[in-house]
Amino acid sequence: MKGDVHREYLSPDLNLLRMYRLYKEKNTTSSAKFWVYRDIFKQQSLNFGQPRSDTCGKCDAFFTKMSAATSEEEKRKIAVESELHHRKAEKAYTQLQSDTEWAKANADCHVISVDLQGVMYTPNLTHSNVYYQRQLSNFNLCLQELGKEDPAYMCVWHEGIAHRGSIEVASCILKWVKTKFTPLPKPEVRKLIIFSDRCCGQNNNWRMLNLMSMLISMGYFTQVEQKFMVSGHSFLPCDRSFATIEKRRKVSVLHTPDDVSKMILEAQPAKPFKVMRMQCEDFRHLPDSVLKRPAGLQITSK
Ligand SMILES: [Zn+2]
């Protein structure tokens, strides 16, 4: 559960019965019954699947504070704060919708939502040896254009190529821009708005601001803006595509990173995703010093 730092998570492909079978395979002489195994397992700080990261920390805190509040005045104060927080989240959604309409009506205006999918492990086989070995992490960054017909772009790579931090996010956006656009002849204009959550390690950082400045100096755009959804309430259009991919992933056998790319390519037959395989060289040559950083500038996720 969120906030429980001591809890550890096992692969979402496992369950208690499968664990028990694996235990019996390894310990052939053990006479422990399933219920004994289950009781002991429940005493451990172990869970299946991923930690819940999509709940909102602020909403959780409001709920806890409200339950503990003793006076009416205290309760009213918390209610006002919570209301304000929800209005902010709603405003971000309204903005996303109106910008989408703006992009629909104007050919030279582009709005994208950017998000990273949860890690996909290979191989995803279910025989016992796989669970005792370290698996390879595969990453996918979705770049979905809103208000246009183009299918979503999925930038895929694995941990042997790069991590998944600010360099990687900015590099994927740069590659997407170079694939889709050519530099503008003057005096034409082209605008870009980037929507994402406010995660500092990935989307909300100095490197991203430098990238935006670079896109203008390279002549791809004349104006670039970045807008954030309220963390924990940021259901972006990318999430819908991720749900489609996850559905497919659950019924696919993935041995290698190539299988992940193929699975994504086939996940939505009616309007296939565009898969962009990121290579080592795509993650280089990305300066973070195009702009002069103002003294004392702090970038936070709050
Ligand atoms: Zn919230």
Side-chain angles (χ1 to χ4, degrees):
M1 265 170 72
K2 197 170 193 285
D4 187 348
V5 289
H6 302 297
R7 199 159 271 277
E8 290 185 278
Y9 291 83
L10 297 163
S11 163
D13 299 326
L14 282 170
N15 57 39
L16 210 47
L17 193 60
R18 203 168 265 172
M19 290 278 291
Y20 176 67
R21 283 195 192 130
L22 294 172
Y23 165 78
K24 293 289 268 186
E25 259 175 50
K26 277 255 157 185
N27 304 280
T28 41
T29 53
S30 167
S31 58
K33 295 273 181 277
F34 177 65
W35 65 268
V36 177
Y37 185 85
R38 186 189 58 203
D39 284 358
I40 294 171
F41 183 88
K42 291 216 161 146
Q43 290 162 23
Q44 318 300 315
S45 288
L46 285 168
N47 254 32
F48 296 108
Q50 306 280 333
R52 278 167 58 208
S53 59
D54 54 347
T55 57
C56 173
K58 264 197 171 172
C59 283
D60 288 349
F62 287 140
F63 180 78
T64 317
K65 274 193 205 164
M66 192 62 112
S67 324
T70 46
S71 71
E72 280 308 308
E73 201 199 328
E74 209 179 332
K75 281 185 187 169
R76 215 173 14 247
K77 223 175 124 191
I78 299 163
V80 169
E81 269 183 72
S82 167
E83 166 84 22
L84 206 71
H85 168 70
H86 282 96
R87 275 200 204 160
K88 246 188 180 174
E90 251 176 64
K91 207 174 161 201
Y93 266 114
T94 318
Q95 188 67 53
L96 181 80
Q97 281 166 348
S98 68
D99 285 347
T100 303
E101 290 305 314
W102 172 72
K104 237 183 232 174
N106 298 286
D108 56 358
C109 295
H110 302 270
V111 178
I112 54 168
S113 84
V114 176
D115 203 4
L116 265 161
Q117 191 179 348
V119 178
M120 290 175 277
Y121 298 99
T122 48
N124 69 341
L125 307 172
T126 50
H127 66 77
S128 62
N129 285 346
V130 171
Y131 292 114
Y132 298 119
Q133 282 159 8
R134 170 88 162 66
Q135 285 152 289
L136 188 75
S137 301
N138 294 266
F139 309 124
N140 175 28
L141 181 128
C142 171
L143 269 155
Q144 193 148 350
E145 198 165 356
L146 312 176
K148 304 273 196 270
E149 282 303 305
D150 229 17
Y153 278 69
M154 301 294 167
C155 307
V156 292
W157 71 100
H158 59 77
E159 63 179 317
I161 292 177
H163 297 290
R164 48 167 191 164
S166 63
I167 295 182
E168 288 76 16
V169 172
S171 303
C172 289
I173 297 175
L174 181 63
K175 186 162 183 181
W176 174 78
V177 167
K178 286 184 170 175
T179 307
K180 261 192 78 104
F181 303 98
T182 48
L184 287 163
K186 277 179 184 160
E188 279 184 35
V189 292
R190 192 189 283 147
K191 294 175 190 167
L192 175 69
I193 299 178
I194 304 168
F195 273 91
S196 68
D197 64 31
R198 284 188 67 168
C199 172
C200 288
Q202 287 159 353
N203 317 305
N204 175 22
N205 47 58
W206 186 242
R207 198 180 302 279
M208 187 64 96
L209 291 172
N210 276 281
L211 171 81
M212 288 157 70
S213 162
M214 255 173 72
L215 295 179
I216 292 174
S217 62
M218 289 163 94
Y220 286 104
F221 292 95
T222 46
Q223 189 182 322
V224 185
E225 285 179 45
Q226 191 178 19
K227 297 184 182 178
F228 300 114
M229 306 302 280
V230 171
S231 295
H233 295 263
S234 56
F235 188 85
L236 287 161
C238 299
D239 292 310
R240 219 165 296 135
S241 301
F242 292 154
T244 306
I245 293 172
E246 277 303 314
K247 224 165 125 189
R248 184 79 182 198
R249 189 183 72 85
K250 286 205 171 120
V251 294
S252 304
V253 178
L254 308 170
H255 294 278
T256 65
D258 278 352
D259 295 335
V260 175
S261 301
K262 200 165 161 272
M263 178 272 293
I264 294 174
L265 204 61
E266 292 167 353
Q268 189 173 256
K271 193 180 177 185
F273 298 123
K274 289 204 175 172
V275 175
M276 213 153 63
R277 290 177 194 216
M278 300 296 290
Q279 310 295 339
C280 285
E281 53 269 26
D282 293 322
F283 293 117
R284 291 179 196 148
H285 317 298
L286 204 76
D288 65 352
S289 54
V290 182
L291 299 169
K292 190 173 171 348
R293 189 170 180 136
L297 173 78
Q298 280 197 334
I299 300 176
T300 69
S301 58
K302 295 274 176 277

